[in-house]
Amino acid sequence: LEMAKTLAIISIAVLAMLLCGRCNCQLCTLTVDELAMVLSERESLFSLGNVQSNPATSCQDILDDNPNAASGNYFLTNNDPTTPMAVSVYCDFTSGVGDDCGGAGWIRVANIDMSDPAQQCDIMNGETVVDTNVRVCGRPITETMGSCSDIPVPTNGFQFNEVCGRVLGYSEGTPNVFDNGEAIDGPYLDGVAIKTVDAAQMQEHVWSFASAEDGALQTCDCTGGGSEPAFVGMDFFCETRDSAADLLWDGAQCVSDDIVQQGCCSNPVIGFQIPPNRFFATGVSGAATDDLLISVCGTDAAGTVNSYFSNVELYIRDVVP
Protein backbone atom coordinates (compact mmCIF):
# COMPACT_ATOMS: atom_id res chain seq x y z
CA LEU A 1 0.00 0.00 0.00
CA GLU A 2 2.81 2.43 0.91
CA MET A 3 4.58 1.62 -2.38
CA ALA A 4 1.36 2.39 -4.27
CA LYS A 5 1.04 5.73 -2.49
CA THR A 6 4.67 6.60 -3.25
CA LEU A 7 4.18 5.77 -6.92
CA ALA A 8 1.01 7.86 -6.94
CA ILE A 9 2.89 10.83 -5.45
CA ILE A 10 5.62 10.51 -8.07
CA SER A 11 2.94 10.31 -10.78
CA ILE A 12 1.36 13.52 -9.52
CA ALA A 13 4.74 15.27 -9.56
CA VAL A 14 5.59 14.07 -13.07
CA LEU A 15 2.14 15.02 -14.35
CA ALA A 16 2.52 18.44 -12.77
CA MET A 17 5.85 18.98 -14.51
CA LEU A 18 4.41 17.99 -17.86
CA LEU A 19 1.34 20.19 -17.49
CA CYS A 20 3.06 23.15 -15.91
CA GLY A 21 6.18 23.32 -18.08
CA ARG A 22 8.68 21.92 -15.61
CA CYS A 23 8.18 23.61 -12.21
CA ASN A 24 6.44 26.84 -13.06
CA CYS A 25 3.22 26.10 -11.13
CA GLN A 26 2.33 25.78 -7.48
CA LEU A 27 1.85 22.00 -7.53
CA CYS A 28 5.43 21.45 -8.68
CA THR A 29 6.83 23.37 -5.70
CA LEU A 30 5.18 21.11 -3.13
CA THR A 31 7.30 18.86 -0.94
CA VAL A 32 6.80 15.11 -0.85
CA ASP A 33 4.81 15.44 2.41
CA GLU A 34 2.62 18.15 0.90
CA LEU A 35 2.04 16.01 -2.18
CA ALA A 36 1.11 13.13 0.14
CA MET A 37 -1.49 15.41 1.77
CA VAL A 38 -2.94 16.25 -1.65
CA LEU A 39 -3.19 12.54 -2.39
CA SER A 40 -4.80 11.87 0.99
CA GLU A 41 -7.41 14.56 0.40
CA ARG A 42 -8.12 13.09 -3.03
CA GLU A 43 -8.52 9.63 -1.48
CA SER A 44 -10.91 11.06 1.12
CA LEU A 45 -12.98 12.78 -1.54
CA PHE A 46 -13.55 9.55 -3.45
CA SER A 47 -13.69 7.17 -0.46
CA LEU A 48 -16.64 4.90 0.26
CA GLY A 49 -19.96 6.76 0.33
CA ASN A 50 -18.58 10.20 -0.51
CA VAL A 51 -19.57 10.09 -4.18
CA GLN A 52 -22.61 8.63 -5.90
CA SER A 53 -20.43 6.38 -8.04
CA ASN A 54 -18.99 4.68 -4.94
CA PRO A 55 -21.95 4.17 -2.57
CA ALA A 56 -21.81 2.16 0.64
CA THR A 57 -24.43 -0.39 1.65
CA SER A 58 -24.88 1.03 5.15
CA CYS A 59 -23.64 3.73 7.50
CA GLN A 60 -21.83 1.00 9.42
CA ASP A 61 -19.86 0.09 6.27
CA ILE A 62 -18.60 3.68 6.08
CA LEU A 63 -17.56 3.57 9.73
CA ASP A 64 -15.81 0.23 9.19
CA ASP A 65 -13.97 1.71 6.20
CA ASN A 66 -13.05 4.89 8.06
CA PRO A 67 -13.37 4.80 11.87
CA ASN A 68 -12.80 8.58 11.91
CA ALA A 69 -15.68 9.32 9.55
CA ALA A 70 -17.65 12.42 10.52
CA SER A 71 -21.44 12.51 10.75
CA GLY A 72 -22.96 13.92 7.59
CA ASN A 73 -24.48 13.09 4.22
CA TYR A 74 -23.25 9.98 2.41
CA PHE A 75 -24.42 7.89 -0.54
CA LEU A 76 -25.88 4.47 0.28
CA THR A 77 -27.42 1.87 -2.01
CA ASN A 78 -30.97 1.18 -0.89
CA ASN A 79 -32.71 -2.20 -0.84
CA ASP A 80 -35.38 -1.50 -3.44
CA PRO A 81 -35.71 -4.86 -5.27
CA THR A 82 -36.89 -3.24 -8.51
CA THR A 83 -34.84 -0.05 -8.80
CA PRO A 84 -31.92 -0.03 -6.34
CA MET A 85 -30.14 3.30 -6.38
CA ALA A 86 -27.56 5.36 -4.53
CA VAL A 87 -29.41 7.70 -2.18
CA SER A 88 -27.96 10.58 -0.18
CA VAL A 89 -28.71 10.08 3.53
CA TYR A 90 -27.48 11.47 6.84
CA CYS A 91 -25.29 9.01 8.76
CA ASP A 92 -24.85 9.70 12.45
CA PHE A 93 -21.55 8.58 13.97
CA THR A 94 -21.62 10.77 17.09
CA SER A 95 -21.10 9.25 20.50
CA GLY A 96 -24.26 10.99 21.74
CA VAL A 97 -26.74 9.19 19.50
CA GLY A 98 -24.58 6.07 19.58
CA ASP A 99 -24.62 5.96 23.38
CA ASP A 100 -28.36 6.53 23.57
CA CYS A 101 -29.24 4.15 20.75
CA GLY A 102 -26.75 1.38 21.44
CA GLY A 103 -23.92 1.81 18.96
CA ALA A 104 -23.21 3.82 15.83
CA GLY A 105 -24.10 3.49 12.16
CA TRP A 106 -27.62 4.97 12.22
CA ILE A 107 -29.41 6.52 9.23
CA ARG A 108 -31.33 9.63 10.29
CA VAL A 109 -34.74 9.68 8.59
CA ALA A 110 -36.43 12.50 10.54
CA ASN A 111 -35.12 15.60 12.28
CA ILE A 112 -37.99 17.99 13.02
CA ASP A 113 -37.36 21.06 15.17
CA MET A 114 -40.37 23.35 15.32
CA SER A 115 -38.27 26.15 16.86
CA ASP A 116 -36.72 26.59 13.41
CA PRO A 117 -38.85 29.22 11.61
CA ALA A 118 -38.25 27.40 8.31
CA GLN A 119 -39.66 24.12 9.68
CA GLN A 120 -43.24 23.48 8.59
CA CYS A 121 -45.85 21.35 10.34
CA ASP A 122 -46.87 18.71 7.80
CA ILE A 123 -50.37 18.49 9.29
CA MET A 124 -52.86 20.85 7.66
CA ASN A 125 -53.87 23.52 10.19
CA GLY A 126 -51.84 21.63 12.79
CA GLU A 127 -49.31 24.32 13.67
CA THR A 128 -49.92 26.30 16.82
CA VAL A 129 -48.16 27.88 19.81
CA VAL A 130 -48.11 26.66 23.41
CA ASP A 131 -46.64 28.27 26.51
CA THR A 132 -47.00 31.69 24.79
CA ASN A 133 -44.06 31.32 22.39
CA VAL A 134 -43.26 27.66 21.62
CA ARG A 135 -44.10 26.50 18.08
CA VAL A 136 -45.52 22.99 17.99
CA CYS A 137 -47.27 20.60 15.59
CA GLY A 138 -50.39 18.59 16.40
CA ARG A 139 -53.99 17.79 15.56
CA PRO A 140 -56.06 20.66 14.18
CA ILE A 141 -58.20 22.31 16.85
CA THR A 142 -61.22 21.64 14.60
CA GLU A 143 -61.16 17.88 15.36
CA THR A 144 -64.47 17.16 17.12
CA MET A 145 -63.71 13.60 18.29
CA GLY A 146 -60.82 11.31 19.05
CA SER A 147 -58.45 11.07 16.08
CA CYS A 148 -54.86 10.87 14.88
CA SER A 149 -53.04 13.16 12.46
CA ASP A 150 -50.27 11.35 10.60
CA ILE A 151 -46.97 12.48 9.12
CA PRO A 152 -45.26 9.91 6.84
CA VAL A 153 -41.50 9.48 7.20
CA PRO A 154 -39.96 7.90 4.06
CA THR A 155 -37.11 5.45 4.63
CA ASN A 156 -36.17 5.48 0.91
CA GLY A 157 -36.28 1.71 0.58
CA PHE A 158 -33.55 1.01 3.15
CA GLN A 159 -33.84 -2.25 5.02
CA PHE A 160 -33.87 -1.93 8.81
CA ASN A 161 -34.59 -3.99 11.90
CA GLU A 162 -33.95 -1.36 14.57
CA VAL A 163 -35.46 2.07 15.22
CA CYS A 164 -34.17 4.71 17.60
CA GLY A 165 -35.34 8.22 18.35
CA ARG A 166 -36.98 10.71 20.65
CA VAL A 167 -40.01 12.97 20.79
CA LEU A 168 -40.45 16.12 22.87
CA GLY A 169 -43.81 17.80 23.18
CA TYR A 170 -46.70 19.19 25.19
CA SER A 171 -50.31 18.43 26.01
CA GLU A 172 -53.40 20.53 26.74
CA GLY A 173 -56.73 19.69 28.36
CA THR A 174 -57.15 16.42 30.25
CA PRO A 175 -55.03 13.67 28.68
CA ASN A 176 -56.14 10.11 29.45
CA VAL A 177 -52.90 8.24 28.70
CA PHE A 178 -54.30 5.24 26.75
CA ASP A 179 -57.61 3.99 25.40
CA ASN A 180 -57.09 0.24 25.13
CA GLY A 181 -60.34 -0.19 23.23
CA GLU A 182 -58.82 1.36 20.11
CA ALA A 183 -56.84 -0.35 17.34
CA ILE A 184 -53.35 0.68 16.32
CA ASP A 185 -54.64 2.90 13.51
CA GLY A 186 -57.09 4.64 15.88
CA PRO A 187 -56.72 7.23 18.67
CA TYR A 188 -55.43 4.77 21.29
CA LEU A 189 -53.43 7.38 23.28
CA ASP A 190 -53.11 11.01 24.17
CA GLY A 191 -49.67 11.68 22.82
CA VAL A 192 -47.46 10.74 19.88
CA ALA A 193 -46.97 7.29 18.36
CA ILE A 194 -44.18 6.04 16.10
CA LYS A 195 -45.19 3.21 13.77
CA THR A 196 -44.13 1.40 10.63
CA VAL A 197 -46.49 1.45 7.65
CA ASP A 198 -46.22 -0.78 4.58
CA ALA A 199 -47.42 -0.31 1.00
CA ALA A 200 -50.85 -1.67 1.96
CA GLN A 201 -51.08 0.95 4.76
CA MET A 202 -50.87 -1.77 7.43
CA GLN A 203 -49.41 -0.29 10.62
CA GLU A 204 -47.20 -1.84 13.31
CA HIS A 205 -46.34 -0.26 16.62
CA VAL A 206 -42.78 0.94 17.29
CA TRP A 207 -42.99 3.29 20.30
CA SER A 208 -45.56 5.44 22.09
CA PHE A 209 -45.19 8.71 23.99
CA ALA A 210 -48.20 9.04 26.28
CA SER A 211 -49.21 11.90 28.56
CA ALA A 212 -51.26 12.28 31.73
CA GLU A 213 -52.36 15.15 33.93
CA ASP A 214 -51.22 15.47 37.52
CA GLY A 215 -54.04 14.47 39.82
CA ALA A 216 -56.21 12.98 37.06
CA LEU A 217 -57.93 9.60 37.33
CA GLN A 218 -55.83 8.19 34.49
CA THR A 219 -52.16 8.21 35.51
CA CYS A 220 -48.98 6.86 33.99
CA ASP A 221 -48.35 3.20 34.76
CA CYS A 222 -45.02 2.01 33.43
CA THR A 223 -44.72 -1.11 35.57
CA GLY A 224 -46.92 -3.21 33.28
CA GLY A 225 -50.54 -4.29 33.48
CA GLY A 226 -51.90 -0.76 33.12
CA SER A 227 -54.21 0.68 30.52
CA GLU A 228 -51.81 0.28 27.60
CA PRO A 229 -53.12 -1.77 24.64
CA ALA A 230 -51.58 -5.19 24.11
CA PHE A 231 -49.84 -4.12 20.89
CA VAL A 232 -47.99 -1.40 22.83
CA GLY A 233 -46.59 -3.75 25.47
CA MET A 234 -43.81 -2.00 27.38
CA ASP A 235 -42.61 -0.03 24.36
CA PHE A 236 -43.67 3.40 25.60
CA PHE A 237 -42.73 6.41 27.68
CA CYS A 238 -45.34 8.18 29.78
CA GLU A 239 -45.03 11.43 31.66
CA THR A 240 -47.44 13.29 33.91
CA ARG A 241 -47.36 16.98 33.25
CA ASP A 242 -47.18 19.54 36.02
CA SER A 243 -48.68 22.31 33.84
CA ALA A 244 -49.37 23.14 30.21
CA ALA A 245 -45.85 24.60 30.03
CA ASP A 246 -44.21 21.34 31.18
CA LEU A 247 -42.11 19.84 28.36
CA LEU A 248 -42.98 16.15 28.11
CA TRP A 249 -40.86 13.04 27.51
CA ASP A 250 -37.64 14.90 28.29
CA GLY A 251 -36.88 12.99 31.48
CA ALA A 252 -37.17 16.13 33.60
CA GLN A 253 -39.72 16.51 36.41
CA CYS A 254 -40.51 12.84 35.94
CA VAL A 255 -40.33 11.43 39.46
CA SER A 256 -43.37 12.38 41.54
CA ASP A 257 -44.83 11.31 44.86
CA ASP A 258 -46.98 8.82 42.96
CA ILE A 259 -45.25 5.42 43.12
CA VAL A 260 -46.94 4.40 39.85
CA GLN A 261 -45.53 7.46 38.06
CA GLN A 262 -42.03 6.63 39.33
CA GLY A 263 -42.10 3.45 37.27
CA CYS A 264 -42.01 5.57 34.13
CA CYS A 265 -38.63 7.00 35.11
CA SER A 266 -36.92 3.75 36.07
CA ASN A 267 -38.65 0.91 34.28
CA PRO A 268 -37.91 -2.51 35.82
CA VAL A 269 -39.39 -4.38 32.87
CA ILE A 270 -37.23 -2.60 30.29
CA GLY A 271 -34.36 -2.82 32.76
CA PHE A 272 -32.56 0.50 32.47
CA GLN A 273 -32.80 4.05 33.71
CA ILE A 274 -34.47 6.13 31.01
CA PRO A 275 -31.86 8.71 29.95
CA PRO A 276 -32.58 12.43 30.43
CA ASN A 277 -32.93 13.00 26.68
CA ARG A 278 -35.40 10.12 26.44
CA PHE A 279 -34.10 8.29 23.36
CA PHE A 280 -35.79 4.94 22.76
CA ALA A 281 -34.25 2.07 20.84
CA THR A 282 -36.15 -1.03 19.82
CA GLY A 283 -36.22 -3.79 17.23
CA VAL A 284 -38.88 -4.28 14.59
CA SER A 285 -40.08 -7.62 13.29
CA GLY A 286 -38.42 -9.03 10.20
CA ALA A 287 -36.23 -6.96 7.92
CA ALA A 288 -38.52 -4.11 7.01
CA THR A 289 -38.23 -1.65 4.14
CA ASP A 290 -41.46 0.00 5.29
CA ASP A 291 -41.80 3.70 5.93
CA LEU A 292 -42.27 5.19 9.39
CA LEU A 293 -45.27 7.16 10.59
CA ILE A 294 -45.53 9.92 13.19
CA SER A 295 -49.08 9.88 14.60
CA VAL A 296 -50.22 12.72 16.85
CA CYS A 297 -53.30 11.39 18.63
CA GLY A 298 -56.03 12.45 21.03
CA THR A 299 -58.70 10.29 22.65
CA ASP A 300 -61.28 13.11 22.56
CA ALA A 301 -62.07 16.30 20.67
CA ALA A 302 -59.09 18.63 20.21
CA GLY A 303 -60.84 21.28 22.27
CA THR A 304 -60.96 18.83 25.20
CA VAL A 305 -57.53 17.22 24.96
CA ASN A 306 -54.68 17.70 22.52
CA SER A 307 -51.04 16.71 22.18
CA TYR A 308 -48.23 18.31 20.20
CA PHE A 309 -44.61 17.69 19.37
CA SER A 310 -41.87 20.29 19.28
CA ASN A 311 -39.02 17.95 18.29
CA VAL A 312 -38.79 14.56 16.61
CA GLU A 313 -35.63 12.63 15.75
CA LEU A 314 -35.81 9.18 14.16
CA TYR A 315 -33.03 6.81 13.10
CA ILE A 316 -33.01 3.35 11.48
CA ARG A 317 -30.35 0.66 11.27
CA ASP A 318 -30.03 -2.87 9.89
CA VAL A 319 -28.05 -5.04 12.29
CA VAL A 320 -26.88 -8.44 11.08
CA PRO A 321 -27.16 -11.01 13.90
Side-chain angles (χ1 to χ4, degrees):
L1 181 61
E2 291 302 319
M3 178 64 70
K5 288 185 176 180
T6 301
L7 290 174
I9 292 170
I10 294 172
S11 298
I12 290 175
V14 171
L15 179 61
M17 292 177 64
L18 292 173
L19 295 178
C20 302
R22 295 189 179 276
C23 287
N24 294 326
C25 72
Q26 184 177 1
L27 186 60
C28 296
T29 63
L30 297 179
T31 65
V32 171
D33 288 341
E34 289 170 335
L35 285 170
M37 185 176 296
V38 171
L39 179 62
S40 176
E41 290 174 352
R42 177 180 173 83
E43 287 177 338
S44 176
L45 179 63
F46 292 99
S47 61
L48 186 65
N50 277 354
V51 291
Q52 194 168 10
S53 59
N54 188 25
T57 57
S58 69
C59 291
Q60 187 61 50
D61 284 347
I62 293 172
L63 198 60
D64 292 341
D65 183 66
N66 178 13
N68 297 318
S71 297
N73 290 313
Y74 293 89
F75 286 98
L76 304 184
T77 302
N78 65 12
N79 303 97
D80 191 319
T82 55
T83 55
M85 64 182 68
V87 180
S88 178
V89 301
Y90 186 93
C91 290
D92 195 291
F93 303 127
T94 62
S95 59
V97 171
D99 290 345
D100 294 320
C101 295
W106 293 90
I107 299 174
R108 189 174 70 190
V109 292
N111 184 28
I112 304 173
D113 182 357
M114 292 301 295
S115 68
D116 181 355
Q119 179 69 62
Q120 300 298 312
C121 174
D122 289 331
I123 298 173
M124 185 175 294
N125 300 320
E127 181 181 323
T128 189
V129 174
V130 297
D131 190 23
T132 70
N133 60 358
V134 180
R135 289 181 69 234
V136 292
C137 184
R139 293 191 303 156
I141 194 64
T142 53
E143 292 291 326
T144 58
M145 61 183 67
S147 64
C148 294
S149 294
D150 298 332
I151 299 176
V153 179
T155 59
N156 296 311
F158 286 102
Q159 182 172 293
F160 62 96
N161 54 21
E162 290 187 349
V163 182
C164 171
R166 67 172 177 169
V167 174
L168 300 176
Y170 298 84
S171 68
E172 293 181 330
T174 309
N176 294 312
V177 192
F178 290 110
D179 180 350
N180 59 17
E182 291 285 347
I184 188 172
D185 57 353
Y188 70 85
L189 84 163
D190 286 316
V192 181
I194 308 300
K195 313 169 189 176
T196 61
V197 56
D198 63 17
Q201 298 304 303
M202 297 296 293
Q203 300 178 10
E204 289 193 19
H205 181 259
V206 175
W207 205 267
S208 289
F209 295 81
S211 63
E213 184 181 20
D214 192 20
L217 293 176
Q218 293 283 357
T219 60
C220 291
D221 180 2
C222 299
T223 57
S227 60
E228 66 273 8
F231 58 79
V232 171
M234 295 305 300
D235 292 336
F236 70 93
F237 293 155
C238 184
E239 190 167 333
T240 300
R241 70 158 197 241
D242 292 331
S243 67
D246 182 13
L247 182 64
L248 297 177
W249 314 308
D250 61 343
Q253 299 175 301
C254 185
V255 178
S256 72
D257 294 332
D258 184 349
I259 189 63
V260 176
Q261 163 75 1
Q262 291 182 24
C264 303
C265 305
S266 180
N267 193 321
V269 177
I270 298 178
F272 63 85
Q273 183 77 20
I274 295 173
N277 52 18
R278 285 294 185 99
F279 273 84
F280 74 87
T282 187
V284 295
S285 59
T289 56
D290 300 338
D291 288 334
L292 296 179
L293 199 66
I294 303 169
S295 293
V296 187
C297 300
T299 59
D300 206 335
T304 303
V305 59
N306 218 356
S307 298
Y308 312 93
F309 68 78
S310 57
N311 297 79
V312 178
E313 288 182 68
L314 294 174
Y315 301 83
I316 59 173
R317 183 173 67 172
D318 187 30
V319 177
V320 179

